[in-house]
Amino acid sequence: MSEIETLPTPEAWADACAGRLTATLGEALADAGSATFAGSGGSTPAPIYARMARAELDWSRITTTLIDERYVPEDHPDSNAALLKRTLLIDRAAAARFLPLFHASVTVDRAAAVATRELATAVDRLDAVLLGMGEDGHICSMFPESPTLKTLLTPKLKPAICGVPPGRDGLAPSRERLSMNLAWLMTARQVVLAITGKQKRAVFERDAAGDPMVTPIAALLAANVPLEVIWTEAAK
């Protein structure tokens, strides 16, 4: 199991997460002249993004995108793209290029195909990735019992964006989504899993020993994704 780095306060936790990610982006810029960052949505990353946005990087050479997205346009309150633009793509980071996953299309699967093509055309790998994790153990939009879960977790597939249907009988997610697959995460130089609270730590420790075919955390570990788990007990 990946070791869990423990930070004493939410501030130290956010500093550590942002520091790891921006250092990796700096290394990629030095090595290749460009870099790619993929971030998550939700409320957890906001303090991390605020710190990253101030980093002294050449953001004009950095492409940013999302690990997953709700199938809604950017003016919708649930849009992860809108969140990223409010919290990360400001200050120095306003110069970064942004690649959305959402595209208006006939179906979410057609939109996923467009996003797959655009991302593959723009970048050949991810450099720094920020993941969150739900209390059900989902990362990206890899939800327990979703019909797309095994496809998303199959390591031998090509990097792709997949459409994710809404859950049935009260299961998550509540609406259609778009999600990177495991193969995209496997291209990364570094993946930071940022989690808070005792419950999520317990979920991580449980799922790390799970079946990689159906358990996202176990799949990350089995695929040797370069994962760093950074945790603080205190809530944000």
Side-chain angles (χ1 to χ4, degrees), residues 16-104:
C17 294
R20 298 297 201 297
L21 294 164
T22 54
T24 298
L25 291 172
E27 291 167 6
L29 289 172
D31 291 346
S34 61
T36 304
F37 170 74
S40 61
S43 58
T44 298
I48 300 170
Y49 290 154
R51 288 158 172 79
M52 290 180 68
R54 300 192 294 267
E56 293 185 4
L57 297 169
D58 185 351
W59 286 96
S60 67
R61 294 189 289 143
I62 297 175
T63 297
T64 63
T65 190
L66 291 157
I67 59 166
D68 71 339
E69 176 64 284
R70 296 172 180 89
Y71 190 50
V72 295
E74 200 172 299
D75 59 1
H76 192 282
D78 290 340
S79 167
N80 284 342
L83 172 78
L84 203 72
K85 289 187 175 183
R86 290 194 308 269
T87 56
L88 175 65
L89 301 178
I90 57 175
D91 209 317
R92 290 187 173 95
R97 177 189 185 189
F98 176 64
L99 283 178
L101 299 187
F102 173 82
H103 297 276

Side-chain angles (χ1 to χ4, degrees), residues 52-216:
M52 290 180 68
R54 300 192 294 267
E56 293 185 4
L57 297 169
D58 185 351
W59 286 96
S60 67
R61 294 189 289 143
I62 297 175
T63 297
T64 63
T65 190
L66 291 157
I67 59 166
D68 71 339
E69 176 64 284
R70 296 172 180 89
Y71 190 50
V72 295
E74 200 172 299
D75 59 1
H76 192 282
D78 290 340
S79 167
N80 284 342
L83 172 78
L84 203 72
K85 289 187 175 183
R86 290 194 308 269
T87 56
L88 175 65
L89 301 178
I90 57 175
D91 209 317
R92 290 187 173 95
R97 177 189 185 189
F98 176 64
L99 283 178
L101 299 187
F102 173 82
H103 297 276
S105 191
V106 177
T107 66
V108 69
D109 290 328
R110 292 283 294 274
V114 173
T116 295
R117 184 168 60 249
E118 290 196 351
L119 193 58
T121 299
V123 301
D124 58 7
R125 65 172 296 172
L126 305 177
D127 291 299
V129 177
L130 177 61
L131 290 180
M133 184 190 72
E135 292 183 355
D136 59 0
H138 84 267
I139 58 170
C140 300
S141 283
M142 302 170 180
F143 287 91
E145 300 186 46
S146 170
T148 62
L149 184 60
K150 288 187 177 181
T151 299
L152 286 166
L153 294 182
T154 300
K156 293 182 179 180
L157 296 179
K158 292 182 179 180
I161 306 300
C162 297
V164 178
R168 296 180 179 178
D169 301 323
L171 292 175
S174 59
R175 64 168 73 246
E176 291 177 314
R177 293 194 182 205
L178 299 147
S179 181
M180 283 188 174
N181 65 354
L182 178 62
W184 260 121
L185 301 181
M186 290 169 63
T187 72
R189 288 176 181 249
Q190 178 196 53
V191 176
V192 168
L193 175 62
I195 54 177
T196 63
K198 290 182 178 180
Q199 184 169 349
K200 286 192 178 181
R201 179 168 184 147
V203 169
F204 174 83
E205 292 173 342
R206 178 199 70 197
D207 285 7
D211 180 355
M213 294 289 291
V214 294
T215 309

